Amino acid sequence: MSLSIGRTCWAIAEGYIPPYSNGPEPQFISHETVCILNAGDEDAHVEITIYYSDKEPVGAYRLTVPARRTKHVRFNDLNDPAPIPHDTDFASVIQSNVPIVVQHTRLDSRQAENALLSTIAYANT
């Protein structure tokens, strides 16, 4: 059974990749992640645009989330059209051709006591 749930446009207003990490790689590298659920019957073709406070937006970063699947993408791993700089505030808009659900997760491992944050993104109605 498939579900058509979610929205086609999401925003994460807060983003920051710390400049360094503490702990074994790759599990404990400080990172920002966009978690995407596509519960529908059609592949989701997703575009991510990154916004900065002091320069023009960069994007689109393109990816596909197959039907009835989930994909977790670290912003640290996005390189095309340009890597996202560390130690820089950013925000993101995620657009899809079909409804998806988007969650934002951050691991900050600058200290031995790691901090993990996860929240649902803002869904544009």
Side-chain angles (χ1 to χ4, degrees):
M1 178 174 89
S2 74
L3 298 170
S4 179
I5 59 173
R7 298 280 191 264
T8 58
C9 186
W10 294 81
I12 301 171
E14 208 284 327
Y16 178 80
I17 301 170
Y20 59 91
S21 302
N22 181 39
E25 295 182 13
Q27 298 89 348
F28 288 99
I29 292 178
S30 295
H31 64 268
E32 297 278 319
T33 301
V34 60
C35 309
I36 302 170
L37 169 64
N38 177 8
D41 287 330
E42 186 180 337
D43 289 355
H45 300 286
V46 177
E47 294 186 348
I48 301 172
T49 303
I50 302 298
Y51 293 80
Y52 298 99
S53 62
D54 60 350
K55 60 184 171 183
E56 288 299 308
V58 176
Y61 299 85
R62 292 180 171 85
L63 57 112
T64 299
V65 182
R68 298 177 307 281
R69 298 291 186 270
T70 185
K71 182 172 252 180
H72 294 204
V73 178
R74 288 187 182 191
F75 285 96
N76 308 45
D77 297 335
L78 296 175
N79 291 309
D80 185 18
I84 297 173
H86 295 201
D87 200 23
T88 302
D89 295 333
F90 66 92
S92 57
V93 172
I94 299 99
Q95 295 178 291
S96 174
N97 64 314
V98 298
I100 56 174
V101 176
V102 174
Q103 183 173 333
H104 168 232
T105 301
R106 169 185 292 153
L107 174 66
D108 186 342
S109 68
R110 288 177 286 181
Q111 301 178 40
E113 299 79 19
N114 294 311
L116 183 69
L117 159 97
S118 190
T119 185
I120 196 75
Y122 170 79
N124 188 23
T125 54

